[in-house]
Amino acid sequence: MAECAVNGDSDVLIRAEKFKEEANQLFKDKKYEEAVELYTRAIEANPKSSVYHANRSFAHLRLENYGFALEDASTAIACDKKYIKAYYRRASAYMSLGKFKPALRDLEAVVKVRPTDKDARMKYNACSKIVKQKAFEKAIACDDNKKPVSETINLENITVEDSYSGPHIPEDGIDPAFMENLVQTFKKQGKLHRRYAYKILLEVKQILASLPSLVDIVVEKDNKLTVCGDVHGQYYDLCHVFDINGLPSLDNPYLFNGDFVDRGSWSVEVILVLLGYKVLYPHNFHLVRGNHETDYMNQMYGFEGEVKAKYDGMMMQLFSEVFNWLPLSYCVNRKVLIMHGGLMEQDNVTLEDLRSIDRNRQPPESGLMCDLLWSDPQMQSGRGPSKRGVSCQFGPDITSKFLKHNELDYIIRSHECKNGGYEEQHNGKCITIFSAPNYCDQMGNKGAFITLRSPDLKPKFTQFDAVSHPEVQPMAYANSFMRMPGMF
């Protein structure tokens, strides 16, 4: 039995085991938050059980709480260095955080103990391949004179074959008819020709590069703005939003608050539609960068694999360039600040500080840019360590102080799956919006979007359920490590 010896009342240990069994059932029922609560009660009764810590680690992985998952797996290993599942869990957490070398060390420990375990060997080989690839990329990255891929593409050299039956971008550029055609083409599982996909990417890069890192927008009196949260490649649910709320137009502006791609298996379709609308309505359609619009997340969670499967590696490089130029936050009527993650680890940050962030890069591991993409709210006052292992968590007092310092009413952020599609925290001053219903086909949550009407900008929430989609599983294009049994 993979548990440390404990001294304690046998009734307490029996109760702890009962909590664990109930938590295991909740986990099977995909009620991960409730499972975490009961694993915690089991741990409180028997803190030396490696099994309880490893099980809670797995539940945290399902909730994308990678920092907590890492901590629990490490505790399980400290309790029992021979408990192999704990090494699997910690390797998963490390991989999710882009820390491939320590993940490889954990998997190496597993392989040493179980040299004939085919599954362990497959995981080790998958991780080893990534580490070697990263080392190669680092070795060739020293060429400072290498041109961005956007400067090497000549659209005139890309021929549209006579056999192509999808939508064509008119000579005068993208228009509403093209976008409606594109939405319907993707709905029918059709494909956009790569010449037109490249054209959208090149045009949108120029538009995004002209914007500051914090964009100020105005919603005029009696007009509205629709704010959507994470979509995560769930294209058919995105279309459902458009069915409910209308297609984007000059009179029907949208803001999508990051995490357009990864996990869902129609990320290419989602992002091309969103970028196409940004080209069509550059001042009435808005996109904020999320933590999944980054290279290592795309490599692990499916977007890179999907782009390469549907187009090619060069297009993935161009997507990376475009993502680097996505703004990090928006401010509506000088009243409402919108970002993907949340507030910062440091006090007294101003809107001007956010406006002047140098964002044309992959996000650093700390600082304002990292916080805007990764932080989360917490119920307790003050700041706490991030459950994700990146940035921090911030309490209601932090929100209140930031709003007062910058003369704002409230913030809107996304980044977390919510059962009802949204949640109001910090006395209504911190709103989370999430627009991917039944996230990854397993969470059972609703999606939601927010309607803001001027002049008061009081948020109105619209909830919606997931719709059916073709039989392609989430994570279909993810790194093989992430699709292996027992990892996620």
Side-chain angles (χ1 to χ4, degrees), residues 405-422:
H405 186 61
N406 288 284
E407 300 180 344
L408 296 167
D409 290 350
Y410 61 93
I411 66 170
I412 297 175
R413 42 90 62 181
S414 299
H415 196 38
E416 291 182 282
C417 178
K418 298 296 181 181
N419 287 337
Y422 72 95

Side-chain angles (χ1 to χ4, degrees), residues 48 118 147 155 170 178 181 190 228 264 320 325 331 337 345 360 367 371 425 442 480:
K48 295 184 179 181
K118 291 183 180 179
K147 281 187 176 182
L155 294 176
F178 167 80
N181 193 355
C228 297
S320 179
W325 282 112
C331 190
L337 186 68
E345 284 194 274
N360 181 24
D371 296 335
Q425 296 169 272
Q442 67 174 6
S480 58

Side-chain angles (χ1 to χ4, degrees), residues 269-333:
E269 288 77 6
V270 166
I271 193 62
L272 286 176
V273 165
L274 296 183
L275 295 180
Y277 272 118
K278 181 63 181 175
V279 173
L280 178 58
Y281 304 119
H283 304 296
N284 299 76
F285 193 87
H286 312 288
L287 301 171
V288 179
R289 190 176 191 175
N291 64 301
H292 275 268
E293 279 72 56
T294 55
D295 286 355
Y296 90 82
M297 298 297 275
N298 294 164
Q299 182 181 29
M300 299 306 300
Y301 289 96
F303 184 57
E304 180 178 308
E306 184 181 344
V307 173
K308 289 180 177 178
K310 295 178 179 179
Y311 291 102
D312 52 43
M314 181 179 289
M315 188 172 291
M316 185 60 226
Q317 293 178 54
L318 185 51
F319 269 116
S320 179
E321 285 186 36
V322 169
F323 289 167
N324 282 351
W325 282 112
L326 284 165
L328 303 175
S329 56
Y330 270 75
C331 190
V332 184
N333 291 14

Side-chain angles (χ1 to χ4, degrees), residues 1 108 135 153 180 365 386 471 473:
M1 185 175 182
E108 188 174 21
I153 297 169
E180 289 183 35
E365 294 185 3
S386 169
E471 293 185 8
Q473 295 299 311

